[in-house]
Amino acid sequence: MTPSSGKDINGLGNPSFAGKRGSHCHLSPAHAACGPEEGGGTSPSGTKLGYSVTDVPPWYLCILLGIQHFLTAIGGLVAVPLMLSKGLCLQHDLLTQSHLISTIIFVSGICTLLQVVFGVRLPIIQGGTLTFVTPILAMLSLPNWKCPAWTNNATLVNASSPEFIQVWQTRMREVQGTIIVTSCFQIFVGFSGLIGFLMRFIGPLTIAPTITLVVLPLFESAGDMAGQHWGIAFLTIFFIVLFSQYLKHIAVPLPSYQRGKKSHFSSIYLFQIFPVLLGLSLSWLLCYVLTVTSVLPAAPTAYGHLARTDSRGDVLSRAPWFRLPYPGQWGTPTVSLAGIFGILAGVISSMLESVGDYYACARLCGAPSPPKHAISRGIGMEGIGCLLAGAWGTGTGTTSYSENVGVLGITKVGSRMVIIAAACAMLLSGIFGKVGAVLASIPIPVIGGMFLVMFGVIAAVGVSSLQYTDMNSSRNIFIFGFSLFAGLTIPNWASKNSALLETGIIQLDQVILVLLTTGMFVGGLLGFILDNTIPGTQEERGLLAWKESHKGGMESSQLISKVYDLPFGIGTRYCNVSWFRYLPACPTKLSCDKRIDELKAARHNTSVEPSLERNSEIGADPPISTNWC
């Protein structure tokens, strides 16, 4: 890539987005020297990226792309409080539900910032996890936590009465305390390096069914959401597919300004980088028009009513303009043993899901596979996120959002700066109650249509992990096929026959039920056990190709450090104390001799830094420097 002579003014000229006629904006000086993995590089899967994980798009692109990620996550963020509202006796208190939505959006913004900056450092959104919902509802269904009968009657509920407030807040405080206690286990597993130790036994045949089963069991919920109005859902799917697949190579001229050229038009691939945002906005606008013109039914029980933009209009009118969520806003958390074991099973499932998301995210954003220290840090940071979620009172923990990983695959934009912008949008929306209420009014069929596309992409990413293995081997075909099918069959049976699993011990029953009804846990565990017990060579299992897929000498070593090392020079330039290397969550610094060996090997490797390539073109001998040591 030829470096630009000018500075990045409008930044729309990333090679992936430049028009065919050559009218494009310039890369920043940092991008000009980037290698194949940067500045619009190529992902490990060979897909051309607009912006890879270490790239920094222009500020306005970051904002727009960040909003797109936020809107993609809003469905899951809103769904969790709504699913918990009945167990918390809040099904007839829409205002409190909106406060819970604002709280979970705000905390998700904090957790996303912590994860991207200090955690695994991949562009991945953190949000409320569904794996906690089942054990929480199981805990709230216990006799001492069942809602009073009068709370089920809307005419008897006075949301401002002290009696009603006491009813739902005592239950919320119990949920908070349980989440806080169980999050400590996740923090220990992460920062102790235990998850990193386990990763040496986890290969493609474990990751593939885990990632795939993250979304396959969601077909029913996605279908139910889209089925609220299939016309709106299919229109949303049509727009997203049209923009992301059919129009992605069409450059749109947009006005821009650059020093020296003043006002001019720059051609960018608008449909490639904003397919979800454009599809969501157009469908949302159509729903608004159909609502205003009374085409969509106003009766709550009529088919298509939830496609109206005013189906939750009461929340919008009553929500405050400004409300700052804070820890302990519902009171001091309490703890009981009954819910800890059940939610602990949800934590285990969430960790296994997140590890799969890390690998999927790295593949889609042009990053090397995450090293053990990054995975340890990511899991530990998710534990801190669950701790914060419990302290703030969101009603659930936090985890990595698979649907946003799917956005990376569609937009081809994997910059973590975009996710930082999305986190800032979450923080602002969580503070300004009206914004959160408006975003919560996205029609359910629109969200359902978007999920059908996103979940399909994630499932395909999971299957694509098998490219490292020998799929002509009957061993591998058996392991993947059995793990995948069992991950669908066993949870389906367990959810319908939970009475047969009862042991008489409530806590044990909750653990068994949650584990057996979580498809990603069942499939991932079976894949893990079978892959490590059935005889097979390292090459046949795909472990050699899996581990070596991103190794390329100097370039790979430097890129891994750039992507996954701690920011602000922590552990390298600053706070570089000798005992850091003993911490599992801290990167291991290569010795000077090893770096020189990598540099020498890179001279004979086809995958080298562009600066070395340019030196060889003009006959210069690439120097072997020891300045990095």
Side-chain angles (χ1 to χ4, degrees), residues 613-629:
E613 292 178 355
R614 289 193 291 269
N615 285 340
S616 62
E617 289 174 2
I618 63 175
D621 185 30
I624 302 297
S625 173
T626 59
N627 292 334
W628 298 337
C629 302

Side-chain angles (χ1 to χ4, degrees), residues 548-614:
E548 299 292 332
S549 59
H550 296 281
K551 289 186 178 181
M554 173 192 64
E555 178 185 28
S556 178
S557 172
Q558 288 183 328
L559 184 60
I560 290 176
S561 177
K562 186 174 184 180
V563 173
Y564 295 110
D565 279 5
L566 291 168
F568 314 122
I570 299 176
T572 54
R573 293 190 301 271
Y574 309 109
C575 303
N576 188 14
V577 293
S578 59
W579 51 268
F580 263 28
R581 65 178 181 269
Y582 298 109
L583 298 179
C586 289
T588 302
K589 188 176 180 181
L590 287 179
S591 66
C592 186
D593 292 338
K594 288 184 178 180
R595 288 189 179 273
I596 293 177
D597 291 341
E598 282 193 351
L599 286 168
K600 290 180 178 178
R603 295 183 61 183
H604 303 286
N605 196 307
T606 56
S607 177
V608 295
E609 289 287 341
S611 59
L612 298 182
E613 292 178 355
R614 289 193 291 269

Side-chain angles (χ1 to χ4, degrees), residues 91-102:
Q91 64 268 37
H92 299 302
D93 187 0
L94 297 181
L95 182 59
T96 301
Q97 290 183 31
S98 71
H99 293 338
L100 290 178
I101 291 173
S102 295

Side-chain angles (χ1 to χ4, degrees), residues 278-311:
L278 291 174
L280 230 67
S281 301
L282 290 177
S283 297
W284 197 354
L285 179 61
L286 178 63
C287 289
Y288 174 75
V289 173
L290 296 179
T291 300
V292 172
T293 56
S294 299
V295 174
L296 294 173
T301 57
Y303 176 79
H305 171 74
L306 292 179
R308 295 178 62 93
T309 55
D310 63 352
S311 59

